[in-house]
Amino acid sequence: MLEVNHLRFSYGKNPVLRDIHFRAVSGEMVCILGPNGTGKSTLFKCMLGLLRGWDGKIALNGEDIRQMKPGERAKKMAYIPQAANPAFAYSVLDMVTMGTTAGLHGLRVPGKKERTIAEAALEKLGIGHLLERDYTSLSGGEQQLVLIARALAQGSNTLIMDEPTSSLDYGNQVRVELQLRKLTEEGYSIIQSMHNPEQAYLFADRVVGLRDGYVIADGSPKDILNEELIEKLYRISVRKVDAEDGKGRFFEVIY
């Protein structure tokens, strides 16, 4: 379980995170919603131990992350960016094998064991057939799945994702989110930021709303994703439109 309690952080005299608190447990997808500049990326950098000088507490399975060495954190938390632009034309297998280096010591390089782990991660996501392809030749959706496979090869059970589907078309967004749902069913804990409330409603177990450095909502998407929250987060007026099949709730803008 990852717990964030009363987290505060400032860039110089500019406070970004004023009082952040939430938690994510095994087998749960938490989606963080909030406008640009509200501190979502800064929050993730604090959680990953990439920023110092924050106040409050961030604990993973009860252990303060400030007491962990970088290698220890890497074995427990993995970061998946929006995109990766490698300097060289690495194969898909090479890209995923890079994730296994967190478990290596000294000057060791990945060997047969690590390659087997990477291949298993690709198969888990249904993209084993891509292992010999050039990563840069893949579609955006395929690249994102490769980055997720790299995180799985890292051996971490907590995945932190910064707007992983923001640059993808609708079909690839859904494909990626469906794969993430399968991972939560296997016990992975997934924390991702996104800008699409409807997507959060369809896939998240919990939604955390951030605005001006504070958590203004935290709960089941069915309970908290409503017109009032959308207006508080994004400063727009919407009205709810119920899907005919009853499986989703959608919003339309009031002009």
Side-chain angles (χ1 to χ4, degrees):
M1 179 170 64
L2 180 71
E3 294 182 280
V4 178
N5 288 309
H6 303 297
L7 178 64
R8 298 177 296 278
F9 179 81
S10 299
Y11 288 109
K13 296 182 179 180
N14 179 32
V16 178
L17 306 176
R18 300 171 186 269
D19 185 19
I20 302 297
H21 50 87
F22 71 94
R23 69 177 185 172
V25 300
S26 176
E28 183 178 52
M29 180 188 292
V30 177
C31 287
I32 298 180
L33 296 177
N36 291 331
T38 201
K40 298 186 297 296
S41 295
T42 298
L43 168 63
F44 286 173
K45 289 177 182 178
C46 290
M47 291 162 54
L48 292 162
L50 301 177
L51 288 176
R52 298 183 179 182
W54 47 267
D55 295 316
K57 184 176 182 180
I58 303 174
L60 188 59
N61 297 327
E63 184 178 358
D64 193 323
I65 68 162
R66 282 182 283 205
Q67 306 303 317
M68 298 179 183
K69 294 180 179 179
E72 291 180 279
R73 285 197 299 267
K75 292 176 182 178
K76 298 178 180 180
M77 286 191 293
Y79 173 67
I80 296 113
Q82 294 180 31
N85 299 299
F88 301 98
Y90 292 110
S91 71
V92 166
L93 182 58
D94 284 339
M95 284 290 291
V96 178
T97 302
M98 291 176 190
T100 66
T101 58
L104 299 178
H105 301 285
L107 299 177
R108 279 194 59 202
V109 296
K112 184 177 180 180
K113 175 184 176 182
E114 286 72 33
R115 296 256 165 178
T116 300
I117 292 172
E119 290 174 4
L122 288 165
E123 290 294 340
K124 182 186 286 287
L125 294 177
I127 53 173
H129 60 287
L130 299 177
L131 66 85
E132 294 183 357
R133 289 274 301 275
D134 174 352
Y135 172 79
T136 59
S137 73
L138 302 180
S139 70
E142 291 170 334
Q143 287 186 350
Q144 194 61 40
L145 290 174
V146 170
L147 296 180
I148 296 170
R150 184 174 67 181
L152 298 184
Q154 190 172 318
S156 310
N157 288 324
T158 299
L159 307 181
I160 298 175
M161 315 178 75
D162 194 357
E163 299 178 25
T165 62
S166 63
S167 62
L168 304 182
D169 63 51
Y170 181 72
N172 279 321
Q173 287 178 14
V174 172
R175 292 184 189 98
V176 169
E177 293 297 335
L178 287 173
Q179 290 291 347
L180 295 178
R181 283 300 324 169
K182 290 181 181 178
L183 292 176
T184 61
E185 292 168 5
E186 295 180 20
Y188 286 88
S189 176
I190 295 175
I191 305 165
Q192 63 170 318
S193 61
M194 61 171 52
H195 284 302
N196 190 329
E198 293 177 359
Q199 201 173 86
Y201 180 87
L202 291 173
F203 296 106
D205 295 298
R206 282 191 26 253
V207 169
V208 176
L210 263 60
R211 180 81 208 193
D212 299 327
Y214 296 97
V215 171
I216 64 171
D218 183 351
S220 163
K222 293 182 180 179
D223 293 334
I224 69 168
L225 270 180
N226 52 38
E227 297 94 330
E228 181 181 2
L229 179 59
I230 299 301
E231 185 167 358
K232 285 182 178 179
L233 288 174
Y234 301 109
R235 303 292 195 258
I236 59 171
S237 296
V238 298
R239 58 174 164 254
K240 182 181 70 176
V241 179
D242 290 318
E244 292 182 4
D245 59 9
K247 294 182 180 179
R249 178 192 303 180
F250 302 93
F251 301 96
E252 63 181 16
V253 177
I254 299 175
Y255 293 98

